[in-house]
């Protein structure tokens, strides 16, 4: 086990021009600043269709719907099927192939390394990290406003996959992490590690979530956090219902380190939103601008919600919840690029929070969660869903608590969380909710 997280830092900066993208590679320890060129990996017009194809794979029932809602979501028009077939993203059995993540990941990798200068830069940095037995931290820089950059940033770069059996981010020896940084005017924050127990504010809106499902999620979350609570490494406060006014008040008065949101997210007509409760009953979709203002001052936001980090070409990048929170000044935002399974999102949160409270960096904790999902899932479709947005003056590890060179043993492992009866009940409750929704 490494005594301290000391990654090899690789910065990849994208800037668009009329024929594609210029890429600036920088890794001070290994290579001089290198410039290469890159074509758009997937045409902008095709990106929404490809993202939708990846999204349907998140449903364990695909391609065999058992609700009307699933049947609608799983249906691709003949023209869409033809286009996916041209891209080699459609199966001979007339559905999205189960290995689509690998196909997309390899397409992204081939584009990034299309220029021999870029290929050599990545190869040298990766080999150096392996030779010195240090993790690799990759920062991808995107322009927050350029139209072409929005199309590029919409792609799941976490899927980078060379012609090897496993993708880049699941090589345990390399323990690589990709973080997204948005080029934007205004000085970014310079957060420093806090002290005392990690303060986690859990937001659990009543809107759209049956009481049974909310209680099950809370049980799983508290089960996972119990070892940290017993060691006084974490402190949890729950807010339910969650109105805009109450959210602002609690954040202002309690000053949490982390906001954990469990509820519904969406990305429709070019704008993301989270579902909150109205102050006097009912529900409302809350836009990124209001969420960014309410979350101001917290160190990290984790969105346990579908599509909280999804973006598509043709819409502003900051219309998505996770990028908007990042530009607003939240140092760390973890959002989901696609629909996310409840058990996968809960496992991500449990591993990440355990690592943060014990003095691990955000990047190290998320890398551990990705590898755990990749190993445990038979269909391997959840590990690439979380997207990490970072806004910080420095490039390097981010800590919410002072770095630790020892990780205390937990009495409850991530595997036990995954296999627990509560997780199984959570899956059943999700199926029940989908059935009820289809009848409405």
């Amino acid at each position: 086990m490494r005594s301290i997280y000391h990654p090899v830092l690789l910065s990849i900066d994208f800037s668009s021009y009329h024929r594609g993208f210029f890429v600036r590679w920088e890794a001070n320890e290994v290579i001089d600043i290198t410039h290469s060129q890159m074509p758009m990996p997937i045409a902008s017009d095709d990106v929404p269709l490809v993202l939708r194809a990846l999204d349907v794979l998140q449903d364990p029932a695909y391609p065999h719907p058992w609700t009307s809602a699933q049947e609608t979501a799983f249906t691709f028009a003949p023209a869409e099927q033809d286009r996916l077939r041209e891209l080699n993203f459609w199966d001979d059995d007339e559905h999205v192939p189960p290995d689509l993540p690998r196909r997309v990941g390899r397409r992204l990798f081939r584009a990034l390394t299309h220029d021999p200068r870029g290929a050599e830069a990545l190869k040298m940095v990766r080999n150096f990290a392996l030779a010195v037995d240090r993790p690799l931290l990759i920062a991808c820089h995107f322009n927050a406003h350029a139209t072409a950059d929005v199309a590029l940033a919409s792609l799941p770069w976490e899927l980078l996959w060379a012609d090897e059996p496993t993708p880049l981010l699941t090589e345990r020896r390399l323990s690589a992490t990709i973080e997204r940084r948005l080029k934007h005017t205004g000085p970014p924050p310079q957060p420093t590690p806090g002290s005392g127990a990690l303060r986690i504010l859990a937001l659990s809106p009543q809107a759209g979530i049956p009481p049974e499902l909310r209680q099950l999620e809370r049980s799983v979350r508290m089960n996972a956090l119990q070892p940290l609570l017993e060691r006084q490494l974490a402190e949890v406060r729950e807010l339910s219902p969650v109105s805009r006014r109450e959210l602002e008040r609690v954040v202002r008065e309690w000053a949490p380190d982390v906001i954990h949101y469990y509820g519904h997210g969406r990305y429709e007509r070019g704008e993301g939103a989270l579902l909150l409760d109205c102050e006097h009953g009912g529900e409302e979709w809350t836009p990124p601008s209001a969420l960014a203002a309410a979350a101001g001052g917290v160190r990290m936001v984790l969105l346990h919600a579908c599509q909280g980090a999804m973006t598509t070409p043709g819409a502003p990048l900051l219309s998505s919840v996770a990028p908007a929170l990042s530009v607003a000044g939240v140092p760390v935002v973890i959002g989901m690029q696609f629909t996310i399974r409840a058990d996968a999102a809960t496992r991500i949160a449990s591993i990440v929070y355990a690592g943060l409270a014990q003095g691990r960096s955000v990047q190290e904790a998320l890398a551990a969660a990705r590898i755990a999902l990749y190993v445990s899932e038979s269909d391997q479709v959840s590990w690439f869903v979380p997207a990490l947005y970072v806004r910080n003056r420095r490039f390097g590890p981010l800590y919410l608590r002072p770095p630790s060179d020892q990780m205390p043993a937990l009495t409850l492992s991530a595997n036990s969380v995954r296999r627990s009866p509560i997780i199984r009940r959570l899956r059943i409750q999700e199926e029940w909710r989908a059935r009820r929704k289809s009848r409405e």
Side-chain angles (χ1 to χ4, degrees), residues 347-349 351-352 364-374 383 386:
R347 192 171 188 206
I348 292 168
I351 295 175
V352 168
E364 186 179 14
L366 184 56
R370 286 194 198 279
I371 292 174
L373 286 177
Y374 185 82
W383 64 271

Side-chain angles (χ1 to χ4, degrees), residues 66-67 207-210 213 262-264 306 340 342 426-440:
W66 42 263
T67 70
I209 304 292
L213 193 56
Y262 171 69
H264 287 296
C306 297
I340 183 71
L426 191 59
R427 290 171 175 160
I428 293 171
Q429 287 290 341
E430 279 193 313
E431 293 179 359
W432 168 79
R433 182 180 57 170
R435 290 180 185 275
R436 191 178 70 171
K437 185 176 180 181
S438 68
R439 293 195 297 265
E440 293 175 352

Side-chain angles (χ1 to χ4, degrees), residues 144-145 150 154 182 266-274 286-289 291 307-325 327:
H145 302 289
V150 173
S154 299
L182 302 179
R266 74 176 185 187
Y267 190 82
E268 292 183 359
R269 295 183 292 276
E271 182 172 67
L274 300 181
T286 306
S289 57
L291 296 167
Q307 303 177 345
M310 178 173 277
T311 58
T312 55
L317 186 60
L318 302 187
S319 65
S320 180
V321 176
L325 291 175
V327 168

Side-chain angles (χ1 to χ4, degrees), residues 206-255:
Q206 296 181 3
I209 304 292
E212 299 89 347
L213 193 56
R214 273 188 284 111
Q215 182 55 41
L216 282 172
E217 189 275 338
R218 182 181 184 278
S219 297
V220 172
R221 171 168 33 85
M222 296 307 293
N223 237 4
L225 291 172
Q226 190 58 38
L228 304 179
L229 299 175
E230 291 174 355
R231 296 173 185 268
Q232 298 184 335
L233 293 175
E235 182 180 349
V236 180
R237 182 169 178 178
E238 184 152 357
L239 184 61
S240 184
V242 184
S243 66
R244 295 194 197 189
R245 182 190 294 268
E246 192 65 6
L247 171 59
E248 187 279 329
R249 182 190 68 79
V250 174
V251 170
R252 171 167 39 85
E253 295 180 356
W254 193 52

Side-chain angles (χ1 to χ4, degrees), residues 56-131:
V56 298
L57 289 180
Q58 303 304 318
D59 193 323
Y62 186 81
H64 306 294
W66 42 263
T67 70
S68 58
Q70 287 175 326
E71 185 171 3
T72 300
F74 294 174
T75 300
F76 289 82
E80 294 175 325
Q81 295 180 27
D82 290 341
R83 185 56 188 148
L84 289 171
R85 191 175 289 108
E86 292 173 7
L87 293 168
N88 192 31
F89 293 163
W90 193 252
D91 205 310
D92 292 337
D93 294 331
E94 300 301 314
H95 55 69
V96 176
D99 68 340
L100 181 62
R102 177 180 59 81
R103 300 188 191 191
V104 173
R106 288 188 171 171
R107 194 181 187 101
L108 296 176
F109 189 88
R110 285 195 299 269
L112 185 62
T113 57
H114 172 77
D115 188 324
R117 292 169 295 183
E120 183 64 17
L122 182 56
K123 178 182 178 181
M124 289 181 64
V125 175
R126 177 182 176 275
N127 288 346
F128 176 81
L130 289 171

